[in-house]
Amino acid sequence: MAELRLGPLLRYTDGSCATVWVETDRPCTAEVRCADGARGTAHSFRIADHHYALVPVGGLTPGTATEYEVLLDGTGVWPPPDSRFPPSVIATPGDDDGMRVAFGSCRWAAPPSGGKGRVGPDALDTLSARVAADPSGTRPDVLLLLGDQVYADEISDATREWIAGRRDVTAGPGDQVADYEEYTRLYYESWLDPEVRWLLSTVPSCMIFDDHDVIDDWNTSAAWLADMRATDWWQERVLSGLMSYWVYQQLGNLSPDELAADPLYTTVREASDGTDALREFAARADADPASVRWSYRRDFGRTRLLMVDSRAARVLDEDRRTMLDPGEAAWLREQVMEGRGDGDRDGGSDSGSDGDGAYDHLLIGTSLPWLLPHLVHDVEAWNAAMCGGERGARWARTGERIRRGADLEHWSAFPSSFDALGDLIADAGTGPGAPASVSVLSGDVHHAYVAEPSWPGRTPDARVAQLTCSPVHNSVPLSIRLGFRFGWSAPARALGRRIARHGRCAPPSVSWRRTGGPWFGNQIMTLTLRGRSARLRLEQARANRDGTHVLRTVADRELT
């Protein structure tokens, strides 16, 4: 009898269909049956001796929520008979429904070996407990996980012990993940957490990777990549990271129509074993990042979400270094501007927004923040100039060491890409048909804040904000707290300007100010979008004296 190893995860949903992802212990037919009669089936596919199915569920009714169960070869496996959680449901948006978009990043399932200080309650666990306690109450309509869903380079004591039982951890990559099998262990550790498992079974999710899903500083620079490729373990590590990401995260990001048109998905499903086909795909993605697109688009009624790959899509050559390769950048602009009407693309508008565009709210999900504390921005721009040879070879070598040591690799470390994203956002938010809001959703930096930009000579009609929320469950050392608090200060801005002058850096095309935060802790942000209004809430996981955990609101404000 087939058994459920992991899942179910409710992934894609729209008004009439959904997808549910499962991992099973052997080949089987997975079926999802809904209480309202909707259903779907899929035969499992095989990758590296593991079995998976992504079940498309059709015939759903817009604006409803229906309980569902999962069967393998006709036998019910979900919900478990001893479950302490309410039934999992598939909720479909209605035409006039608002959207509640929760997001965050950087989640340790368990603290890594050696520990890194106090971690505190898990914000996802705590969110799950609140939703389970009041199933008919307010819950997120979608959960965006913006990177570092697993930590391949910072593993727990339990995982380290398991790895040591299957190979020699004194050889590279040591006590880090080495292959696909070890990646599966990370997902089990993270997603078998009872609270998280139930939450992901009943709240749709969209995901994108960041560096720790593969390794810290992944694709920081061409020199970094050359050093990694010179090792005897990197090739297996990166291919396994991309393969497991495709299976565990990327497949569920796609709609049933996109899956049907995906030749790799078709090949893997039709093969008796899809491992070789997926491995070839991962090798191509690693060798030629422009050949694969990990970014994707989701439209939720009048809200457009663009999840942007800011890791694998980079151009790393110092003389043409960009966050997105030309094809990726063109795709992003096309998705942003599609349906925007014929408003002024060059800036300026005397009419304001008429609300007749394709969307009322634009969400750009990128794991790395676009707008950083001003000192950090200037240091990264300076470092990019040094590494590019602005002050000679000696400074270039020093700059590379600093870049790796200080993780100087955000949008501001790619100055042309920083400016291009700012120009695109201004274009999207200006003119007839402009949305009410444009929000850049990010994580990575282990604190939360709100920053709002302004452009010289133009004022977008949309309210534009950088919304950063991290971590969901991780340590926040004192050095990070002090450094980022100082980074936003007036003395830090003055220091940053001096550093930028040394690098002969052109001023950025946009200025910005912090309008909220910084906030430190395990936390999650929620955007509530209704009509042309947007409201932001930040909640932190806190421990009560009785040992229970709650989400406490630390910020709640209107964005539009």
Side-chain angles (χ1 to χ4, degrees):
M1 182 182 300
E3 296 181 357
L4 191 65
R5 296 196 68 180
L6 191 59
L9 274 71
L10 177 60
R11 296 304 312 274
Y12 178 92
T13 59
D14 63 22
S16 61
C17 65
T19 61
V20 176
W21 180 98
V22 296
E23 181 179 351
T24 66
D25 69 340
R26 66 193 67 190
C28 64
T29 296
E31 181 180 3
V32 173
R33 293 181 187 172
C34 299
D36 66 357
R39 61 192 302 170
T41 62
H43 192 70
S44 62
F45 59 90
R46 179 177 181 175
I47 301 292
D49 293 326
H50 291 258
H51 304 275
Y52 311 92
L54 187 64
V55 183
V57 182
L60 297 165
T61 303
T64 64
T66 180
E67 297 177 8
Y68 75 90
E69 59 179 336
V70 177
L71 301 90
L72 302 180
D73 289 336
T75 300
V77 294
W78 186 270
D82 57 349
S83 176
R84 57 185 171 88
F85 295 98
S88 301
V89 301
I90 300 176
T92 55
D95 292 340
D96 299 323
D97 289 353
M99 280 291 298
R100 290 175 296 272
V101 181
F103 62 96
S105 77
C106 306
R107 179 178 179 266
W108 280 339
S113 301
K116 288 193 174 183
R118 182 178 179 275
V119 178
D122 186 326
L124 276 193
D125 277 355
T126 312
L127 174 63
S128 176
R130 184 173 71 185
V131 174
D134 184 13
S136 62
T138 301
R139 65 167 70 192
D141 294 297
V142 65
L143 177 64
L144 311 185
L145 300 177
L146 294 168
D148 297 344
Q149 276 68 262
V150 294
Y151 278 72
D153 52 351
E154 297 181 17
I155 62 175
S156 67
D157 289 330
T159 296
R160 187 184 191 283
E161 182 178 351
W162 177 81
I163 288 175
R166 67 185 300 265
R167 64 172 172 85
D168 180 7
V169 296
T170 64
D175 58 354
Q176 298 184 16
V177 165
D179 58 22
Y180 187 91
E181 185 65 27
E182 293 176 10
Y183 263 104
T184 67
R185 168 76 183 198
L186 296 184
Y187 285 102
Y188 297 158
E189 184 175 59
S190 184
W191 291 354
L192 283 175
D193 173 301
E195 286 77 15
V196 169
R197 188 179 194 181
W198 178 80
L199 182 69
L200 294 178
S201 78
T202 201
V203 174
S205 55
C206 298
M207 308 181 188
I208 194 71
F209 47 46
D210 198 23
D211 55 345
H212 289 284
D213 290 88
V214 176
I215 193 171
D216 188 28
D217 298 341
W218 179 30
N219 284 343
T220 287
S221 66
W224 177 93
L225 186 58
D227 288 347
M228 297 304 293
R229 286 176 171 171
T231 68
D232 60 2
W233 55 267
W234 171 248
Q235 181 74 357
E236 186 62 35
R237 168 70 159 271
V238 70
L239 295 191
S240 297
L242 293 174
M243 291 170 66
S244 61
Y245 175 78
W246 185 85
V247 171
Y248 286 85
Q249 299 191 51
Q250 179 69 358
L251 280 180
N253 292 329
L254 306 179
S255 70
D257 288 344
E258 290 170 321
L259 290 167
D262 186 335
L264 176 61
Y265 185 55
T266 298
T267 298
V268 166
R269 292 183 65 205
E270 293 179 349
S272 59
D273 187 333
T275 307
D276 289 344
L278 181 55
R279 189 176 181 85
E280 290 172 6
F281 168 84
R284 185 169 67 254
D286 177 53
D288 180 14
S291 67
V292 173
R293 174 161 298 123
W294 301 104
S295 302
Y296 59 96
R297 166 179 157 183
R298 293 285 306 277
D299 286 342
F300 303 94
R302 298 281 299 175
T303 297
R304 178 167 297 175
L305 168 67
L306 299 172
M307 291 286 261
V308 180
D309 164 20
S310 51
R311 279 291 168 188
R314 299 177 176 185
V315 175
L316 297 177
D317 297 341
E318 292 295 344
D319 59 347
R320 58 187 187 98
R321 180 176 163 88
T322 57
M323 182 68 86
L324 307 179
D325 65 61
E328 194 81 3
W331 175 87
L332 178 59
R333 172 165 283 274
E334 178 183 354
Q335 302 307 311
V336 167
M337 303 310 293
E338 182 183 300
R340 267 284 289 110
D342 297 321
D344 182 3
R345 298 289 186 259
D346 299 319
S349 171
D350 58 8
S351 61
S353 172
D354 59 11
D356 292 331
Y359 48 84
D360 290 326
H361 303 280
L362 174 63
L363 311 179
I364 299 176
T366 167
S367 62
L368 302 173
W370 170 51
L371 303 178
L372 287 165
H374 297 92
L375 175 58
V376 179
H377 175 96
D378 289 334
V379 168
E380 293 201 352
W382 166 85
N383 181 260
M386 295 301 98
C387 294
E390 182 65 34
R391 294 245 177 215
R394 180 181 176 186
W395 272 108
R397 291 191 296 270
T398 301
E400 178 64 25
R401 290 195 297 271
I402 294 173
R403 175 156 63 190
R404 298 191 200 184
D407 292 348
L408 304 181
E409 38 132 18
H410 300 82
W411 284 87
S412 48
F414 299 78
S416 64
S417 297
F418 175 90
D419 288 343
L421 182 58
D423 290 343
L424 176 58
I425 288 171
D427 288 348
T430 302
S437 71
V438 179
S439 300
V440 180
L441 313 181
S442 305
D444 180 70
V445 291
H446 288 207
H447 71 297
Y449 61 90
V450 179
E452 298 188 44
S454 58
W455 286 260
R458 67 189 305 189
T459 302
D461 301 293
R463 182 77 174 269
V464 181
Q466 166 74 64
L467 306 178
T468 302
C469 183
S470 168
V472 168
H473 187 229
N474 211 303
S475 65
V476 185
L478 180 62
S479 59
I480 287 182
R481 296 173 183 260
L482 295 177
F484 279 109
R485 286 189 187 280
F486 175 70
W488 286 109
S489 68
R493 295 190 69 170
L495 176 60
R497 286 192 292 268
R498 294 189 64 179
I499 292 171
R501 283 196 296 271
H502 177 265
R504 300 168 183 157
C505 303
S509 62
V510 58
S511 60
W512 61 99
R513 62 189 180 95
R514 175 176 55 86
T515 57
W519 298 288
F520 298 93
N522 293 329
Q523 48 206 352
I524 196 157
M525 272 186 179
T526 301
L527 267 177
T528 300
L529 308 170
R530 191 173 302 278
R532 292 181 64 80
S533 72
R535 188 172 188 89
L536 173 69
R537 185 174 69 252
L538 175 71
E539 297 173 292
Q540 293 183 339
R542 304 281 181 83
N544 290 325
R545 291 183 178 179
D546 62 2
T548 60
H549 299 159
V550 296
L551 286 175
R552 294 183 181 168
T553 299
V554 296
D556 190 356
R557 64 181 63 182
E558 294 287 347
L559 287 183
T560 61

